[in-house]
Amino acid sequence: LLVSVAMVEQLRLYYTQREFYEQFFKPLKILANANKMAWGVMSIKEKTAMAAEEHLYDQKSVFYLGKEYEKVLDFTANLDPAKERYERLTNEKNHYYSYLYGALIIKQFQTQWQRAGYDLTYRPEIIATLFNIGFDHSQPKADPAVGGSTLEINGEKYFFGSLAYEFYYSGELAEEFPFE
């Protein structure tokens, strides 16, 4: 499930952000403001990372995972949390935290929906859609729609969630990432 979301993020970056960079930033020889962009291989925005951290402690949150998860993302006592968060998610040599944040966000969505009576275990298209649209737009219901950002790849348009579904059930990388 995590790999399905990561694959779509990588496709999105390659086909969408690359064109944006080539068109706007490269000619000006400047870089985009990092705090307005998503970070790491999972393309997690700072706001989303902070919300995931808060949900780990907020026992009243519909996204709360339980006591055993509360300290999973604790920061080093002597460092600035914002700086440490940024370093965690942008480390190009170690993607551990990028994947950890991604997995926790997915689990938080699954928990919210499970509490509302809806099982998303075999719904990678819905999990990916939620990952893409964010916590604020997650509203559990019996008939969720596949969506998220629209990506254009070689002239074809796809929803973020539908690409994750296609990858999840494609069998690609199944040996490296077993289905069950």
Side-chain angles (χ1 to χ4, degrees):
L1 189 55
L2 180 65
V3 174
S4 296
V5 174
M7 291 300 293
V8 178
E9 285 293 359
Q10 292 304 303
L11 287 169
R12 184 183 60 79
L13 288 170
Y14 183 79
Y15 285 100
T16 307
Q17 300 295 341
R18 185 170 184 230
E19 293 169 9
F20 183 76
Y21 172 81
E22 293 287 333
Q23 185 178 359
F24 295 105
F25 294 106
K26 189 175 181 183
L28 300 173
K29 294 184 173 43
I30 62 170
L31 296 174
N33 187 348
N35 67 7
K36 301 239 186 243
M37 299 177 74
W39 300 333
V41 295
M42 295 297 297
S43 296
I44 297 172
K45 293 180 178 164
E46 181 180 31
K47 176 184 169 188
T48 304
M50 291 171 66
E53 294 161 5
E54 291 169 16
H55 296 318
L56 292 177
Y57 283 98
D58 183 1
Q59 295 180 11
K60 293 179 182 174
S61 170
V62 295
F63 301 104
Y64 180 71
L65 300 178
K67 280 258 188 233
E68 65 272 23
Y69 288 92
E70 286 184 4
K71 299 191 179 294
V72 172
L73 293 176
D74 279 359
F75 293 103
T76 308
N78 298 335
L79 293 180
D80 172 28
K83 182 178 181 193
E84 187 173 352
R85 179 183 306 108
Y86 177 79
E87 289 172 358
R88 285 175 170 183
L89 292 171
T90 61
N91 187 334
E92 292 181 13
K93 294 183 170 121
N94 184 345
H95 303 297
Y96 172 80
Y97 277 105
S98 192
Y99 292 128
L100 179 59
Y101 274 85
L104 288 168
I105 290 166
I106 288 170
K107 187 160 183 62
Q108 289 172 343
F109 284 126
Q110 289 174 318
T111 298
Q112 177 204 26
W113 282 63
Q114 189 69 42
R115 285 189 176 126
Y118 304 106
D119 185 7
L120 296 180
T121 301
Y122 296 105
R123 301 296 307 269
E125 73 281 16
I126 303 305
I127 289 292
T129 298
L130 295 170
F131 189 92
N132 186 242
I133 65 174
F135 290 115
D136 293 342
H137 300 287
S138 180
Q139 297 179 3
K141 55 188 159 195
D143 59 346
V146 178
S149 300
T150 303
L151 290 79
E152 186 171 328
I153 300 175
N154 298 330
E156 294 283 327
K157 291 188 178 186
Y158 301 91
F159 285 119
F160 192 98
S162 64
L163 276 177
Y165 176 90
E166 293 295 329
F167 179 80
Y168 186 86
Y169 288 109
S170 72
E172 294 292 324
L173 297 177
E175 192 171 304
E176 290 82 0
F177 303 100
F179 191 77
E180 292 271 338

